[in-house]
Amino acid sequence: MFLCDYIQTPIGQMLAGATSEGVCMLHFADIPDISDRISRIETVLNAKAIRGKNIHLLRLEQELQAYFRSDLNRFSVSLRLLGTDFQLKVFESLTYIPHGRNFSYADFAEILDMPKSVRAIAAAIGQNNISVVVPCHRVVGSDGRLTGYSGGLWRKNWLLQHEKSISPCFNRLPFSHEDLQFNRK
């Protein structure tokens, strides 16, 4: 079962989706390709999206409210990441970028020990189905410019400024492998 419902945020309505395993979708409801994204998820899950809530969507809504109030800087809601093995590695790694930090695509590729895969990593990030929680907004261009955010660059900027206002480590340089707080294999 693929349950979906809307969540109100200070930067627009979001459409969230979850299975019994966890959240598999969180997009701003006004993005141009929202129907295509839902259809792709339905195909992967072999399930139709239906309106409803489950424990994962309820928890997501609570955590998003806390995040937007500046009371939460790390999400703990269960996720059901969808994608190829490569995309899953990228998505999971994104979840370890600390709140208030951002990296260029090149830095992120280097941290993942794939310095020659910047474009492939950028393409994978573009397929992220769980905005905000899987923080693709924390990855920026090499020159620091905001690039590539399906919710719109104004929202990416808003999210970064929101995190910057409450995080002491925003834009701390230089980056290191330890900045992605996970055990690398």
Side-chain angles (χ1 to χ4, degrees):
M1 191 176 302
F2 175 32
L3 297 172
C4 294
D5 205 5
Y6 291 98
I7 298 174
Q8 298 300 324
T9 77
I11 54 176
Q13 186 177 58
M14 298 189 84
L15 181 59
T19 67
S20 60
E21 297 171 65
V23 173
C24 61
M25 180 184 77
L26 181 63
H27 288 296
F28 290 97
D30 62 357
I31 63 172
D33 66 344
I34 189 72
S35 295
D36 293 338
R37 288 179 180 254
I38 293 168
S39 293
R40 285 193 299 268
I41 293 170
E42 287 176 328
T43 299
V44 170
L45 295 175
N46 194 27
K48 279 305 248 183
I50 58 172
R51 185 95 187 248
K53 291 186 180 189
N54 65 13
I55 191 164
H56 303 298
L57 291 177
L58 293 169
R59 181 168 187 148
L60 173 65
E61 187 169 16
Q62 291 172 341
E63 289 190 3
L64 279 172
Q65 289 171 355
Y67 168 83
F68 284 111
R69 283 192 318 265
S70 302
D71 294 336
L72 179 83
N73 62 17
R74 183 149 175 88
F75 291 92
S76 61
V77 65
S78 296
L79 302 178
R80 171 72 163 87
L81 299 172
L82 305 172
T84 65
D85 288 344
F86 178 76
Q87 289 170 332
L88 295 176
K89 178 180 180 174
V90 171
F91 301 154
E92 186 174 334
S93 298
L94 285 169
T95 67
Y96 291 99
I97 297 176
H99 183 88
R101 290 296 312 274
N102 62 30
F103 294 95
S104 71
Y105 290 94
D107 290 344
F108 194 62
E110 186 174 322
I111 288 170
L112 295 178
D113 288 333
M114 295 186 273
K116 295 183 181 186
S117 300
V118 175
R119 288 185 183 184
I121 289 169
I125 289 171
Q127 296 302 308
N128 176 24
N129 280 318
I130 309 175
S131 294
V132 182
V133 177
V134 176
C136 56
H137 62 276
R138 296 179 187 156
V139 184
V140 299
S142 293
D143 59 2
R145 282 196 285 187
L146 304 185
T147 60
Y149 191 67
S150 67
L153 293 182
W154 74 270
R155 285 186 175 121
K156 184 171 188 165
N157 183 59
W158 192 98
L159 292 165
L160 291 172
Q161 294 305 313
H162 172 69
E163 293 178 2
K164 178 182 179 181
S165 71
I166 59 174
S167 180
C169 70
F170 187 80
N171 277 341
R172 179 176 46 86
L173 293 174
F175 78 93
S176 70
H177 290 68
E178 290 73 37
D179 286 333
L180 290 184
Q181 303 159 352
F182 66 96
N183 294 325
R184 297 178 52 221
K185 295 177 183 168

